[in-house]
Structures are given as structure tokens and as C-alpha cells.
Amino acid sequence: MTELSRMPLQPVTIALVRHGETDWNRERRIQGLTDIPLNDTGRQQAAATAEALRDESWDAIYASPLSRAAETASIMAAGLGLAEPVHVPELVERRHGALEGLDPEGRAALEASAATIEGLEPRSAVIERSSAALLALAERHPGGRLLAVAHGGVIHSLILHLSDWTLPAPGYRIDNGSVHLVRVVDGALELVEPERLTGTGD
């Protein structure tokens, strides 16, 4: 073992970006693993988020392979002069099973009538897979600054976990194009700021 290999990795900053808007987002339908593409507003949000991050230095961009996240990341990569994003399957949205495609009224009706939701991925599984993926990315980029384009359910789950379930506050929305910063220090993830930037301009 070399001396370098015994040294702790340098802290890594990761900006978690929620993908741009889709038609199902606009209709407030649950997407989960259903692969709904960006709409024109979503593409504009992706470009605006890249512009908001332009003054900072970024080393690489990664993304969920679902098309809404992958296209958001490609638009951002072009805007920031980065190489094309690398897809990370563990960053896909939470699987919602029988809830996918439902609007708020349909979801409420199903949840009221069913003791369990068929096919719904446990939040603990979302946290485990997404955390492991971010730690693995940090190992590739010691001291780096990374972008990871993911989904509202993934980002929400990570914020809950990293804040000991004190955040997000009731009513808080993880908007399309929003940016949340986490950091990897000594092999552990930590929340830097609940919301660092937003690309939506709300």
C-alpha cells in the first residue's frame, strides 16, 4: 500500500439537479419509471439551470438514464462545455408501481383503498442505491465538483435521509431544474444546503 492510498479522499461536491418539466409533471401525474420525455419548458429549464451554474467549475456530469434526466443532462453539458453525461442506473426515479400515471385524485383514491401499493419501491431502497452511486462517483473524482441529474423522488429521499428526516419542510417543492448540493467527506454523504439554486425562476 502506498502512502497516497492511505490518505483520505479529498471532499467532493455534488450538485443534484432535478430534470426539466415533462407533460406528466404539468399534469401532476406520477412518473416513476415510466419514461416520459421533456417538453419544451423542460428543455428551457435545463438550459437555464446550466446558465445559473456557468460561473462555477464542474468536472463531469452524470445522469439517470431515463430520457427526461438524460436529455436535461445533455443540454446542461452542452451549455457548460462538459463531455456528454454518463448514465448511472442507480439514479433512476423511485419505482411507483400501480401509482404510475395517476393524477393526485387517482393516487388518493388508490391509497385509500389499498393497504399496500403494488410495485412501490421502498424509500429505504431508493436511499441505499442512490447514496451508493454518489459515493462511487466521488471515488472517481477526489476533490472534484460533479453534477448529477436525477428525479424528485430520489432527491427528496436523499434530503430526508441526510437531514435526519427534518427536511424538506411541509409544503416544500423540489422544482424541475432545481439544484441541491451534497458533499462527500471521509466517505460519507452530507447535505450542504437544502436548496442552493433553482433553474425555474419561481
Side-chain angles (χ1 to χ4, degrees):
M1 181 184 296
T2 66
E3 184 67 22
L4 181 62
S5 67
R6 291 198 296 267
M7 295 175 62
L9 292 176
Q10 300 173 28
V12 176
T13 297
I14 304 175
L16 301 175
V17 179
R18 187 184 177 197
H19 63 79
E21 183 187 83
T22 70
D23 287 346
W24 275 22
N25 285 145
R26 183 173 294 175
E27 297 166 4
R28 301 177 63 201
R29 294 185 181 277
I30 297 174
Q31 294 178 118
L33 296 185
T34 306
D35 199 3
I36 306 300
L38 293 182
N39 58 26
D40 287 341
T41 297
R43 295 181 183 97
Q44 293 167 6
Q45 289 168 336
T49 301
E51 181 63 31
L53 294 169
R54 186 184 298 278
D55 291 338
E56 303 182 57
S57 175
W58 303 100
D59 299 307
I61 185 165
Y62 294 87
S64 155
L66 290 173
S67 63
R68 57 191 184 269
E71 185 177 2
T72 297
S74 289
I75 292 169
M76 292 183 64
L80 293 168
L82 296 172
E84 272 293 299
V86 176
H87 295 167
V88 180
E90 294 81 7
L91 295 180
V92 296
E93 179 61 295
R94 183 183 187 185
R95 184 179 69 252
H96 280 78
L99 293 172
E100 295 190 15
L102 298 182
D103 61 15
E105 292 75 19
R107 175 176 186 167
L110 181 58
E111 290 178 334
S113 64
T116 59
I117 303 299
E118 182 181 354
L120 179 63
E121 183 180 10
R123 192 179 293 278
S124 58
V126 178
I127 292 168
E128 181 177 359
R129 63 172 166 81
S130 58
S131 295
L134 295 178
L135 292 173
L137 295 181
E139 287 187 359
R140 298 185 200 174
H141 300 274
R145 293 175 55 80
L146 311 177
L147 295 159
V149 182
H151 304 268
V154 171
I155 297 170
H156 184 264
S157 297
L158 286 168
I159 291 173
L160 284 171
H161 173 63
L162 297 176
S163 69
D164 292 327
W165 297 76
T166 62
L167 295 172
Y172 180 83
R173 290 181 17 151
I174 298 171
D175 288 327
N176 294 109
S178 62
V179 179
H180 296 75
L181 292 184
V182 297
R183 184 165 49 212
V184 178
V185 180
D186 294 334
L189 272 171
E190 61 182 37
L191 187 64
V192 177
E193 294 173 286
E195 184 169 19
R196 167 68 169 77
L197 291 168
T198 176
T200 59
D202 288 346

